[in-house]
Amino acid sequence: MKSLAIAVVGSLVLAHGALAQFYEPPPTTADPNTILDCTFWHVAGTGDTCASIGDLNGLSIATFQNYNPSLAGAASSCNSKLIIGNSYCIEQNYGLPSEIYTSSTTSTAPTTTAPPTITTPTPHRTLPNDCNKFHFVVSGNLCPGIASQYNIPLATFYAWNPDVGSTCNNLWLEEYVCVGRVSYTPVTTTTSSRSTTTTVTGIVTPTPHRTLPTNCDRFHFVVQGNLCPGIAAQYNIPLAQFYAWNPDVGSNCNNLWLDEYVCVRTVGYVAPTSTTSSARTTTTSTGIATPTPHRTLPNNCDRFHFVVQGNLCPGIAAQYNIPLAQFYAWNPDVGSNCNNLWLEEYVCVRTVGYVPPTSTTTTTRRTTTTTTGGISTPTPFQPGMNPNCKQFHKVVSGNTCATIASQYGISLSNFYAWNTGVGNACQSLWLDYYVCVRV
């Protein structure tokens, strides 16, 4: 059976040339024998075992080993083969039936089968009928970066996904887009995508890039999580100057592209000096040292949080034990539904004299409570969780309601019903909190 599966995979690779990499790239080194249609990864840490990784992600040891053939063998053997820091697959094909590996069969003789039926994950908008590879859009994704990740021209990505618009202005979070088709063979190239060009001034300019000053002599490669204010602050240049050097990113950073270079210094440019300390702070009339960058904050704010990838307003508010409405009042520029929270800037999480509301219940991280049904419920958990829950998932950076539901093989409507506190559009999913995935 194993040889049959490998033969089918090989034929698909030869026929389409689209499976030379994993469906979703691993964050660290992954064994090449790992299933190719892996869509979610776990990086092994100290103390991990095959059983603990499986339990954390709702997988049996056998399924976990099927996803990761390098770990095959008895449980003790599996544990000894785990390599700390390596990535191991914990989800196949977005939780949908595999489109690559064959199901088991009792026949070993060659057979002729009909082409596999393509299962299209939801939600999605207009896609080609023969799309056979999909990408789930998460925060930080942009069309150029997605196209680059799957080695398809940007124009082709737009043709396959017309609803995102011709400038990526209508790309939606938490939906699937098409990144491969049955008849499509990715473009091959003999040159590196991050090569260099030399201008008439003798400056070596890395590529890819868009419009840059001809005398630019320092560059930054844009990665997921970067935003214009954070890049400008990192290189100590005014945001207006960054926009002037990189006009294609737009006047409000709405067209910053992943996986390309931007200019962060020109020949002869001298960064403005500051009388503030190296800790990047400003001091208000009240004597409070306020770190920068930031937008509108209360004058008497005396505690700050630096926004990093994965942060959302509800999670920040919960972390500092402040009502969400109060967080929005102190940070009006993030918007009333957190739609304008910026990475790499400071927000206010306390003001002088503010006393957080007290509660008659206490929540201790990584403890459990026991319900009347005898089920141990880990804390903290989101308000509105079904009291009859029997299995739980701790929300980590990159999770969305749709990916969690897919991981545990449950419908998105059931997930919302069991976790009413996350909202009906996943707008209030909190990091580092537990949610219910089985009742």
Side-chain angles (χ1 to χ4, degrees):
M1 290 184 287
K2 182 178 179 181
S3 62
L4 178 59
I6 293 174
V8 172
V9 173
S11 65
L12 285 173
V13 172
L14 292 174
H16 308 312
L19 299 176
Q21 59 180 349
F22 298 111
Y23 272 26
E24 295 291 349
T28 60
T29 300
D31 189 277
N33 292 319
T34 306
I35 58 172
L36 294 177
D37 55 348
C38 183
T39 51
F40 209 72
W41 302 86
H42 174 93
V43 178
T46 304
D48 277 346
T49 66
C50 294
S52 69
I53 297 173
D55 289 344
L56 181 65
N57 297 283
L59 302 174
S60 67
I61 292 181
T63 299
F64 181 58
Q65 290 176 312
N66 285 339
Y67 292 174
N68 303 276
S70 63
L71 303 177
S76 58
S77 172
C78 180
N79 296 337
S80 67
K81 294 175 183 176
L82 279 173
I83 300 174
I84 295 176
N86 273 21
S87 294
Y88 294 93
C89 184
I90 54 174
E91 179 187 78
Q92 183 176 21
N93 194 32
Y94 308 99
L96 300 168
S98 174
E99 299 160 12
I100 298 178
Y101 291 84
T102 61
S103 58
S104 59
T105 175
T106 56
S107 172
T108 58
T111 59
T112 302
T113 59
T117 301
I118 298 172
T119 302
T120 302
T122 58
H124 64 80
R125 286 177 288 170
T126 306
L127 302 179
N129 291 334
D130 64 340
C131 184
N132 67 344
K133 193 173 185 181
F134 309 89
H135 174 87
F136 189 73
V137 181
V138 297
S139 179
N141 282 171
L142 288 174
C143 301
I146 298 173
S148 174
Q149 178 180 340
Y150 294 95
N151 191 28
I152 54 178
L154 184 58
T156 299
F157 176 82
Y158 285 142
W160 292 348
N161 303 278
D163 293 323
V164 306
S166 58
T167 58
C168 203
N169 59 316
N170 202 25
L171 181 70
W172 290 0
L173 291 179
E174 299 185 21
E175 74 164 10
Y176 290 91
V177 289
C178 182
V179 292
R181 297 179 68 174
V182 171
S183 57
Y184 178 74
T185 301
V187 177
T188 58
T189 178
T190 57
T191 60
S192 168
S193 61
R194 293 175 66 173
S195 58
T196 60
T197 59
T198 303
T199 66
V200 292
T201 61
I203 298 171
V204 176
T205 302
T207 57
H209 63 78
R210 286 176 290 168
T211 306
L212 302 180
T214 55
N215 63 339
C216 184
D217 68 348
R218 191 173 184 184
F219 309 88
H220 173 88
F221 189 71
V222 181
V223 297
Q224 186 168 336
N226 282 170
L227 287 175
C228 301
I231 298 173
Q234 178 180 342
Y235 294 93
N236 190 29
I237 53 177
L239 184 57
Q241 183 65 70
F242 177 82
Y243 286 140
W245 287 340
N246 302 278
D248 293 324
V249 305
S251 58
N252 60 358
C253 206
N254 62 318
N255 203 25
L256 181 70
W257 289 2
L258 290 177
D259 300 329
E260 74 164 10
Y261 288 90
V262 289
C263 182
V264 292
R265 192 181 67 186
T266 56
V267 174
Y269 177 77
V270 178
T273 58
S274 172
T275 58
T276 59
S277 69
S278 59
R280 294 198 324 193
T281 61
T282 58
T283 303
T284 67
S285 58
T286 61
I288 299 171
T290 302
T292 57
H294 63 79
R295 287 177 288 169
T296 306
L297 302 179
N299 290 333
N300 62 339
C301 184
D302 67 348
R303 191 172 185 184
F304 309 89
H305 174 88
F306 189 69
V307 181
V308 297
Q309 186 173 344
N311 283 171
L312 289 174
C313 300
I316 298 173
Q319 178 180 343
Y320 294 94
N321 191 29
I322 54 178
L324 185 57
Q326 184 64 71
F327 177 82
Y328 286 140
W330 288 340
N331 302 278
D333 292 323
V334 305
S336 59
N337 60 358
C338 205
N339 62 319
N340 202 26
L341 181 69
W342 288 1
L343 291 177
E344 300 180 20
E345 74 163 11
Y346 288 90
V347 290
C348 182
V349 291
R350 192 180 67 188
T351 56
V352 174
Y354 177 76
V355 178
T358 58
S359 172
T360 56
T361 61
T362 58
T363 298
T364 305
R365 287 180 178 271
R366 294 190 176 274
T367 61
T368 60
T369 59
T370 302
T371 66
T372 54
I375 302 294
S376 294
T377 302
T379 59
F381 57 84
Q382 289 223 213
M385 189 173 71
N386 190 307
N388 299 316
C389 188
K390 293 182 175 61
Q391 187 176 355
F392 309 89
H393 171 88
K394 187 176 181 182
V395 180
V396 298
S397 178
N399 280 173
T400 65
C401 298
T403 58
I404 296 171
S406 175
Q407 179 178 338
Y408 292 93
I410 59 177
S411 69
L412 189 56
S413 60
N414 275 344
F415 179 83
Y416 286 139
W418 298 340
N419 303 279
T420 57
V422 306
N424 59 6
C426 206
Q427 71 269 30
S428 296
L429 184 67
W430 293 356
L431 283 177
D432 297 326
Y433 276 65
Y434 287 90
V435 290
C436 181
V437 293
R438 183 167 66 91
V439 295

